[in-house]
Amino acid sequence: QVQLVESGGGLVHPGGSLRLSCAASGFSFSNYAMKWYRQAPGKEREWVAGIGDVARAGDRARTYADSVKGRFTISRDNAKNTLYLQMNSLKPEDTAVYYCNTYIYKNYWGQGIQVTVSS
């Protein structure tokens, strides 16, 4: 079955960096687009970034929400079945639970990982 497991979250000061990972299993990872979402307390889940499948995983296939453009970078290692989100210049408003996601006839979600940006 499809499984997505996030890791790498934690507490970081404003201006700091974190790298999230999402280990995928149960499907042919390289053949599917992947996305990161986040949900802040009291807010709806929002899309953060996306990356295409093996045929479309170049820079043109990476997309970002305006709120993170220029600060976050999505990437994937198809040999390791792992999705990444490099987050730089973090702001308090980036505080949220972050989820990786893929769509294979339906949405699949990881369990989420907490990222807290605070001084």
Side-chain angles (χ1 to χ4, degrees):
Q1 68 278 22
V2 174
Q3 285 195 319
L4 301 170
V5 180
E6 299 95 339
S7 62
L11 172 65
V12 64
H13 293 308
S17 298
L18 279 175
R19 188 177 80 156
L20 303 183
S21 299
C22 172
S25 61
F27 65 106
S28 182
F29 178 74
S30 62
N31 289 337
Y32 291 92
M34 299 294 298
K35 299 177 182 179
W36 286 100
Y37 285 77
R38 67 186 181 186
Q39 187 166 19
K43 294 188 176 181
E44 293 190 354
R45 193 171 297 188
E46 65 173 358
W47 169 76
V48 174
I51 188 168
D53 59 26
V54 64
R56 290 177 287 274
D59 288 347
R60 290 180 297 174
R62 305 182 195 192
T63 53
Y64 300 93
D66 287 344
S67 59
V68 306
K69 200 171 294 184
R71 299 187 298 121
F72 289 12
T73 302
I74 188 171
S75 62
R76 65 192 299 162
D77 185 334
N78 292 325
K80 295 182 178 179
N81 287 355
T82 302
L83 176 72
Y84 301 101
L85 185 68
Q86 178 67 43
M87 305 184 295
N88 298 328
S89 302
L90 282 161
K91 305 175 181 180
E93 51 263 44
D94 295 318
T95 295
V97 177
Y98 284 71
Y99 300 89
C100 64
N101 163 272
T102 193
Y103 183 87
I104 308 171
Y105 303 113
K106 69 173 187 177
N107 275 311
Y108 289 92
W109 301 93
Q111 84 285 358
I113 191 81
Q114 178 70 45
V115 171
T116 302
V117 184
S118 175
S119 55

PDB file of all heavy atoms in Angstrom, residues 4 11 26 41 61 69 82 87 116:
ATOM      1  N   LEU A   4       3.646   7.240   2.921  1.00  0.00           N
ATOM      2  CA  LEU A   4       4.463   8.447   2.873  1.00  0.00           C
ATOM      3  C   LEU A   4       4.825   8.809   4.311  1.00  0.00           C
ATOM      4  O   LEU A   4       3.925   8.946   5.152  1.00  0.00           O
ATOM      5  CB  LEU A   4       3.691   9.590   2.221  1.00  0.00           C
ATOM      6  CG  LEU A   4       3.191   9.354   0.788  1.00  0.00           C
ATOM      7  CD1 LEU A   4       2.240  10.461   0.368  1.00  0.00           C
ATOM      8  CD2 LEU A   4       4.351   9.238  -0.165  1.00  0.00           C
ATOM      9  N   LEU A  11      12.159  22.733  15.645  1.00  0.00           N
ATOM     10  CA  LEU A  11      12.116  24.142  16.035  1.00  0.00           C
ATOM     11  C   LEU A  11      13.339  24.856  15.464  1.00  0.00           C
ATOM     12  O   LEU A  11      14.467  24.360  15.606  1.00  0.00           O
ATOM     13  CB  LEU A  11      12.109  24.260  17.561  1.00  0.00           C
ATOM     14  CG  LEU A  11      12.245  25.663  18.152  1.00  0.00           C
ATOM     15  CD1 LEU A  11      11.035  26.508  17.782  1.00  0.00           C
ATOM     16  CD2 LEU A  11      12.407  25.584  19.668  1.00  0.00           C
ATOM     17  N   GLY A  26       5.454   1.615  -1.706  1.00  0.00           N
ATOM     18  CA  GLY A  26       4.184   1.022  -2.115  1.00  0.00           C
ATOM     19  C   GLY A  26       3.708   1.438  -3.493  1.00  0.00           C
ATOM     20  O   GLY A  26       2.602   1.043  -3.898  1.00  0.00           O
ATOM     21  N   PRO A  41      -2.079  26.266  12.556  1.00  0.00           N
ATOM     22  CA  PRO A  41      -3.193  26.183  13.506  1.00  0.00           C
ATOM     23  C   PRO A  41      -4.336  27.117  13.122  1.00  0.00           C
ATOM     24  O   PRO A  41      -4.120  28.295  12.839  1.00  0.00           O
ATOM     25  CB  PRO A  41      -2.549  26.613  14.820  1.00  0.00           C
ATOM     26  CG  PRO A  41      -1.097  26.305  14.654  1.00  0.00           C
ATOM     27  CD  PRO A  41      -0.797  26.547  13.208  1.00  0.00           C
ATOM     28  N   ALA A  61       9.407  21.850 -14.076  1.00  0.00           N
ATOM     29  CA  ALA A  61       8.329  21.061 -13.484  1.00  0.00           C
ATOM     30  C   ALA A  61       8.166  21.328 -12.002  1.00  0.00           C
ATOM     31  O   ALA A  61       7.383  20.658 -11.346  1.00  0.00           O
ATOM     32  CB  ALA A  61       8.583  19.582 -13.724  1.00  0.00           C
ATOM     33  N   LYS A  69       8.159  31.110  -2.594  1.00  0.00           N
ATOM     34  CA  LYS A  69       9.013  31.201  -3.782  1.00  0.00           C
ATOM     35  C   LYS A  69      10.297  31.950  -3.458  1.00  0.00           C
ATOM     36  O   LYS A  69      10.271  33.010  -2.828  1.00  0.00           O
ATOM     37  CB  LYS A  69       8.239  31.894  -4.907  1.00  0.00           C
ATOM     38  CG  LYS A  69       8.770  31.648  -6.298  1.00  0.00           C
ATOM     39  CD  LYS A  69       7.807  32.206  -7.340  1.00  0.00           C
ATOM     40  CE  LYS A  69       6.492  31.470  -7.357  1.00  0.00           C
ATOM     41  NZ  LYS A  69       5.584  31.958  -8.437  1.00  0.00           N
ATOM     42  N   THR A  82      12.577   9.215  -2.352  1.00  0.00           N
ATOM     43  CA  THR A  82      12.471  10.239  -1.325  1.00  0.00           C
ATOM     44  C   THR A  82      12.238  11.614  -1.942  1.00  0.00           C
ATOM     45  O   THR A  82      12.874  11.978  -2.925  1.00  0.00           O
ATOM     46  CB  THR A  82      13.722  10.273  -0.438  1.00  0.00           C
ATOM     47  OG1 THR A  82      13.909   8.984   0.154  1.00  0.00           O
ATOM     48  CG2 THR A  82      13.580  11.312   0.672  1.00  0.00           C
ATOM     49  N   MET A  87      14.061  24.314   3.130  1.00  0.00           N
ATOM     50  CA  MET A  87      13.411  25.550   3.547  1.00  0.00           C
ATOM     51  C   MET A  87      14.456  26.494   4.136  1.00  0.00           C
ATOM     52  O   MET A  87      15.084  26.172   5.154  1.00  0.00           O
ATOM     53  CB  MET A  87      12.325  25.257   4.584  1.00  0.00           C
ATOM     54  CG  MET A  87      11.303  24.242   4.101  1.00  0.00           C
ATOM     55  SD  MET A  87       9.952  23.989   5.268  1.00  0.00           S
ATOM     56  CE  MET A  87      10.819  23.271   6.652  1.00  0.00           C
ATOM     57  N   THR A 116       8.276  24.513  13.502  1.00  0.00           N
ATOM     58  CA  THR A 116       8.001  25.691  14.317  1.00  0.00           C
ATOM     59  C   THR A 116       9.134  26.687  14.140  1.00  0.00           C
ATOM     60  O   THR A 116      10.305  26.345  14.354  1.00  0.00           O
ATOM     61  CB  THR A 116       7.853  25.319  15.793  1.00  0.00           C
ATOM     62  OG1 THR A 116       6.799  24.357  15.946  1.00  0.00           O
ATOM     63  CG2 THR A 116       7.529  26.553  16.634  1.00  0.00           C
TER      64      THR A 116
END
